[in-house]
Amino acid sequence: MKKILLLSVLLSFCFTTATYAQKRDKKKKKNTSEVVATPPQKKDKDAIQEYKDVVTKEAVTDSGLFQVHRVKKTYLYEIPFSVLEKDMLWVSRIAQIPSGLGGGFFNAGSKTNEEVVHWQRYQDKILLKVKSYRNVADSTKAISNSVRVNNYEPILYAFDIKAFNVDSTAVVIDVTKLFSTDVKAISGLPAYLRKQYKVKKLDPSRSFINSVKSFPLNIEVKQDFTYDASEPPSSRNSESISLQMNQSMILLPEEPMQARIADPRVGFFTVSQYDYGSDALKADEKTYIRRWKLEPKDPEAYARGELVEPVKPIVYYLDPGTPEKLQKYIKQGIEDWQKPFETAGFKNAIIAKDAPTPEEDPEFSPEDIRYSVVRYVASTTRNAVGPSVSDPRSGEIIESDIIWYHNHLRSYRNRYLLETGAANPSARTLDTPDEEIGEMMRMVIAHEVGHALGFPHNMAASYAYDVESYRDGAFTQKNGIAASIMDYARYNYIAQPGDQNIRFVRQMGPYDHYAVNWGYRWLPNAKTPEDEVSTLNKWVIEKANDPIYRFGRQSNRFDPQSQTEGIGDDPIKASTYGVKNLKYVAANLPAWTSDQTNNYLDLEELYGELLGVYSRYVGHVVTNIGGVYENIKNPDQEGIVYTHVNKSSQQASMKWLQENLFQTQDWLADKAILQNIDHAGYFERIRSLQSRYLNGLLSFDRIGRLIDAETINQEYYSAYEMLSDVRKGLWSEASRGQNVDIYRRNLQKSYLERMSFLMTDEGPTRRRGRPGLESPFVYDTNTSDIKSLIRGELTTLRSRLRTAKNGNINTITKYHYQDIIARIDALLDPK
C-alpha cells in the first residue's frame, strides 16, 4: 500500500514539473528564438589584443629607443620592458610660433617644459610618471622608503595596454591622444598666456600630430595645435592661435656623470638636492654645478699635461636661417671658448658647424635634443639668450640652444654710438662698419655660449680693473674691459676723446680660463664628488686675493663691485667720465642721425636710449650709498664677507648725485632734439628719471642697511646723515632764497610723495631667498627709526619753507612752497 502511495506522489510531481516546464517553454519560446538569432558580441575594445591586430600590415614603423608605429592616423609606441622605470628627460619646445606670442620673448626654439619622466606598468596599464630628484636618499638606507612615500610621483598620462609583441619583451600602447589633445604640461601655452589671450579650447579639427620619429636614444614628436582664442597676439580676426610644438624624450645615462660640488666663490649654474640619507642632522642640501661631460680620449697623455681631445666634444650647429655675412662671427664666438678649455687640458673641446642640408641629413631638426643649435630668430625683440637642458641627477648638460634675436644688432649699434662715440670716431654713424658689428656679435655669442656652458653672469669682473686703465690703449688691447666675458660690460665708456689705440668692445678674460679649469678639469683619482673638494678649494685659495678671479653675483643689489653695465673699480670716477662723454654725444646727436637721414626717427630712438645710458651711470653711483661689499669666503680665509662702504665714499657719492642728477641737467633738455621728436612730455622725461633714483635712495632696504651699519661702526654714514643730505640738496633754493625752476619743482614734489610713502607704508613683509643673499631684507619699520627720521625731516623742511615763502621769490615758487607746506601739514597732522 505504501509502495503504491509513493509511486502516485512521484508521478504527480513529474507531471506537474513537466506541465510547468511546457508552459514556461511556451511562454519563453519567442525570447529564446531571439537570443539564438543575435550575432556574437564584439570583444571588449579595451582588452589586450593580438599584436597582429594592433600593429597591422598597414603600419609604418620607425625603429629606435621605442618602435614607433603609425597605423593610418593612430600612433603606437612599442616600449621594451627593458626601458620601463628608466629615467628619461622630457623637453617641450616651440618649433613654430605666431608673431607676438609671449610679448616677443618666446620664439621658435623656446623651451616651455623640462622634467624627468619614466614609464611604469600597473596591471593592464602603462603610466607616464613625472619624477623629481629634489629629495633623495641612498636606496640601501631605510629612510629611502620614507622619501619615496612622501614624494609620490604625479601621473602625466595613463595608457591601456593594447598588445604585447610577439616574444613578449615589449608592450604596445596608443599615444595618439597624448599628442593630439590639450595636455597642459606639454602644450606650450602656460596659464598666464591662456588668460592673456582668452584661450577657450583646443580645436581638434585643426590640431594634429605632424610627425613622430624614433632615434637610438630619443624620440621626437611634432604637433600642430590651434586654439580658439578671443584675443590672439596676431591675426586678430581669426580668433585663433596656431603653433607647432616639439616634444623631445631622451634616455638619460644609466650611470649619471660624477657630479661636481658647487662653490659660491666660482660662478656656475647649479642643480640642488636634499639628501635625507646624509649623516648631517638634517635634510642635507647638496648643490652641483651644471656642465658638459668632457673626458679625455687619451687619459695618460692628459695626465702628462698634454692637450687632449675629449671623447665627445661640444658641438654647436648654425641655424640654416642665419644671414650669410654673420655666420663667421657666430662661429668665432663659439670657438673663442677653445682657449679656456685648453687651460683645462682639452683641445677642440667646442666646435661650430654648419647645419647639414636636407640632402646630407634629412632627419636633422634644430628641435632634436641631440643637437645644440645657435638659433637665429626673425623677431623685433632685442635680446640674446643661452639656455640649456641638464640632468638633474648630476648637473650634466645634455643640450643647449643659443637664441639670437635679429633686432639685437640694432641695440649694439646704438649703444656703440652712445657709449663710445665721444672717443671713437668710427662709432659716430648709423652705418657702423660690418667688421665692428661682427666683432660685437661675436662677443655676444661668446657670452651666451658661456651661459650654455654653465656660467652665470659674473658682475665683479668689470670691477677688477682700475678706471684709468680704460684710457690706456696697450692695457685695453690686452685685457679688454672686464676680466670675464660673462660680465655685463659691453663697451669702454671711460676712454676720452684723444685717447689712442683703445679697445672699446669686450673680450674673453682670465676669469673665463680660471672658471673653465675649475669646473671642467678632469680629476680621475676622485671617485666621489667629495673627493674633489680639497683640490677645488685649493684652486680657489690660490686666486682668492686677486680681483680678476673674483666672482660677483648679479642677484645682489647692494654691492658696488657687482653692478650690471658698470666698468672700473670706482663708480664715481667711471660715471664722471661716462657723463662727460655722453654730453658730447648729446650735443652731436642730430648731426650724426637726422642730419644724415633727413628724418627724426633715429634721433628719437637714440635720444630715448641716451636717457637709459645716463640712467645706468647714475645708478652705479647710487649703489655706493648704503652699499655693502660682498666678498664670498670660507672660514679658512682671512677677512670678513660683508663690509659697508666707507663714509667718505658715500658722502662723495651723495655730492655727485646732487650735482649730476638732482640739479637740473639742461644738456638732457636740448631743444634741438626735444622739439623735433615730440609735442609734449619734456619735463616729465627728466622728472621720471630723477624720481626713479630718488625713490631708490629713499627705500626701506637702503635706509635699513644704513641703520645696520651704525650697529657695526658709529663712524659709518648714518641714515640721519643721508636723509639730511638729500633734503638739503633737493631744497637748496629755499636756503639761498632762489626761485625754483620747473624741473626742480617736480622733483621736490616727487620727494614729498616718497617721504609720504615711507611715513605711511608698513614696508616689505616677506623675505625671498636665503638670508644674506638677497635684497631687500625685512625688518619692522614701525619699531625702527625710519618713521621718526622721516617725521623729523619733514618737520625741519616745513619750518624752512615757512620762512622761504616770504622771501624775494617769484609767484610760482611761492605757490609751490605753500602747496608743499599744506601737504606736509596734512601728512603730519591728518586731523
Side-chain angles (χ1 to χ4, degrees), residues 398-649:
I398 304 296
E399 177 267 358
S400 77
D401 284 341
I402 310 302
I403 313 296
W404 175 276
Y405 298 86
H406 178 70
N407 274 24
H408 204 33
L409 287 170
R410 192 173 183 90
S411 296
Y412 276 83
R413 182 206 67 178
N414 290 358
R415 292 277 297 272
Y416 192 53
L417 184 153
L418 294 169
E419 295 185 28
T420 77
N424 179 15
S426 69
R428 301 168 187 169
T429 176
L430 298 174
D431 298 317
T432 311
D434 286 347
E435 282 297 319
E436 293 176 42
I437 283 287
E439 178 69 4
M440 299 173 210
M441 185 178 195
R442 171 183 178 177
M443 293 302 127
V444 180
I445 292 295
H447 177 94
E448 301 306 336
V449 170
H451 286 319
L453 296 174
F455 303 116
H457 292 133
N458 177 7
M459 294 308 185
S462 56
Y463 199 84
Y465 300 150
D466 178 79
V467 168
E468 294 301 328
S469 298
Y470 290 87
R471 301 189 60 187
D472 183 332
F475 180 90
T476 58
Q477 291 297 337
K478 178 182 178 182
N479 300 285
I481 60 175
S484 172
I485 193 70
M486 300 314 299
D487 199 313
Y488 261 1
R490 303 178 198 269
Y491 296 112
N492 180 351
Y493 59 78
I494 290 173
Q496 297 293 292
D499 294 344
Q500 299 295 315
N501 193 34
I502 300 295
R503 180 173 176 87
F504 291 98
V505 181
R506 59 184 166 176
Q507 63 185 27
M508 305 290 289
Y511 174 86
D512 303 314
H513 290 254
Y514 161 69
V516 169
N517 184 71
W518 190 93
Y520 280 92
R521 180 163 284 279
W522 190 55
L523 299 175
N525 296 324
K527 304 305 179 187
T528 68
E530 289 73 18
D531 291 344
E532 297 182 339
V533 171
S534 61
T535 298
L536 298 173
N537 183 60
K538 178 185 174 184
W539 293 345
V540 173
I541 296 297
E542 289 173 351
K543 307 291 189 183
N545 296 320
D546 191 333
I548 67 175
Y549 301 112
R550 182 181 296 137
F551 173 67
R553 298 180 302 110
Q554 181 181 8
S555 58
N556 76 36
R557 306 292 181 180
F558 50 80
D559 185 357
Q561 299 172 128
S562 300
Q563 300 206 66
T564 300
E565 313 283 359
I567 58 175
D569 63 353
D570 184 339
I572 296 175
K573 187 183 289 188
S575 290
T576 299
Y577 278 132
V579 170
K580 184 179 178 182
N581 282 339
L582 210 53
K583 289 178 179 178
Y584 180 95
V585 171
N588 289 279
L589 202 55
W592 298 346
T593 58
S594 54
D595 289 358
Q596 304 300 317
T597 61
N598 200 31
N599 67 62
Y600 293 112
L601 296 176
D602 289 292
L603 176 63
E604 180 179 5
E605 180 180 319
L606 281 157
Y607 175 72
E609 293 190 30
L610 181 144
L611 293 179
V613 173
Y614 166 72
S615 174
R616 285 190 288 272
Y617 297 162
V618 169
H620 298 154
V621 179
V622 170
T623 306
N624 271 346
I625 298 176
V628 181
Y629 298 122
E630 180 185 67
N631 294 303
I632 304 171
K633 301 174 184 287
N634 281 357
D636 60 355
Q637 295 175 254
E638 293 182 358
I640 57 177
V641 176
Y642 295 102
T643 307
H644 294 87
V645 174
N646 64 59
K647 183 174 183 175
S648 61
S649 292

Side-chain angles (χ1 to χ4, degrees), residues 95 97 106-110 317-331 334 355 366-367 372-385 401-410 437 441-442 444-445:
I97 189 171
F106 275 58
N107 55 265
S110 286
Y317 292 90
L318 265 63
D319 189 322
T322 305
E324 291 80 0
K325 70 177 183 178
L326 298 175
Q327 291 177 9
K328 71 174 182 178
Y329 301 113
I330 294 175
K331 290 179 179 178
I334 295 167
E367 288 79 36
S372 294
V373 180
V374 179
R375 303 291 297 260
Y376 196 96
V377 180
S379 167
T380 57
T381 299
R382 297 186 183 185
N383 199 20
V385 294
D401 284 341
I402 310 302
I403 313 296
W404 175 276
Y405 298 86
H406 178 70
N407 274 24
H408 204 33
L409 287 170
R410 192 173 183 90
I437 283 287
M441 185 178 195
R442 171 183 178 177
V444 180
I445 292 295

Side-chain angles (χ1 to χ4, degrees), residues 272-436:
S272 295
Q273 301 173 348
Y274 284 104
D275 184 2
Y276 285 84
S278 168
D279 292 332
L281 300 178
K282 63 174 183 177
D284 192 11
E285 185 175 19
K286 294 183 175 178
T287 303
Y288 305 116
I289 66 172
R290 293 175 59 181
R291 58 176 181 157
W292 296 80
K293 184 178 181 179
L294 291 184
E295 294 178 329
K297 284 183 179 178
D298 186 340
E300 289 77 17
Y302 188 91
R304 292 193 299 268
E306 299 175 23
L307 291 180
V308 176
E309 290 186 343
V311 173
K312 184 180 179 182
I314 303 164
V315 178
Y316 280 95
Y317 292 90
L318 265 63
D319 189 322
T322 305
E324 291 80 0
K325 70 177 183 178
L326 298 175
Q327 291 177 9
K328 71 174 182 178
Y329 301 113
I330 294 175
K331 290 179 179 178
Q332 288 170 345
I334 295 167
E335 295 188 347
D336 278 338
W337 283 96
Q338 288 188 355
K339 289 297 182 181
F341 275 109
E342 288 179 7
T343 302
F346 293 100
K347 68 178 179 180
N348 300 324
I350 183 167
I351 300 168
K353 291 185 176 181
D354 292 319
T357 64
E359 293 73 26
E360 293 169 331
D361 183 357
E363 300 286 355
F364 179 86
S365 167
E367 288 79 36
D368 189 334
I369 201 167
R370 294 177 298 165
Y371 304 116
S372 294
V373 180
V374 179
R375 303 291 297 260
Y376 196 96
V377 180
S379 167
T380 57
T381 299
R382 297 186 183 185
N383 199 20
V385 294
S388 63
V389 172
S390 61
D391 184 342
R393 304 171 303 172
S394 64
E396 179 186 356
I397 297 174
I398 304 296
E399 177 267 358
S400 77
D401 284 341
I402 310 302
I403 313 296
W404 175 276
Y405 298 86
H406 178 70
N407 274 24
H408 204 33
L409 287 170
R410 192 173 183 90
S411 296
Y412 276 83
R413 182 206 67 178
N414 290 358
R415 292 277 297 272
Y416 192 53
L417 184 153
L418 294 169
E419 295 185 28
T420 77
N424 179 15
S426 69
R428 301 168 187 169
T429 176
L430 298 174
D431 298 317
T432 311
D434 286 347
E435 282 297 319
E436 293 176 42

Side-chain angles (χ1 to χ4, degrees), residues 756-816:
S756 175
F757 168 79
L758 293 173
M759 188 74 182
T760 58
D761 193 80
E762 296 298 319
T765 58
R766 291 197 312 177
R767 178 194 293 277
R768 293 184 179 181
R770 292 180 291 169
L773 295 179
E774 77 294 324
S775 180
F777 58 89
V778 173
Y779 58 94
D780 188 335
T781 60
N782 288 315
T783 59
S784 75
D785 286 337
I786 280 196
K787 296 190 188 303
S788 305
L789 289 166
I790 301 305
R791 183 179 295 275
E793 286 299 309
L794 290 175
T795 301
T796 300
L797 175 61
R798 180 172 60 182
S799 176
R800 298 286 190 272
L801 295 183
R802 282 173 173 169
T803 300
K805 71 181 177 64
N806 297 318
N808 185 24
I809 53 176
N810 61 19
T811 302
I812 189 62
T813 300
K814 187 184 297 288
Y815 287 171
H816 171 61

Side-chain angles (χ1 to χ4, degrees), residues 42 120 144 185 318 363 461 654 694 800:
K42 293 182 179 180
Q120 185 182 91
S144 65
L318 265 63
E363 300 286 355
M654 179 61 74
L694 176 62
R800 298 286 190 272

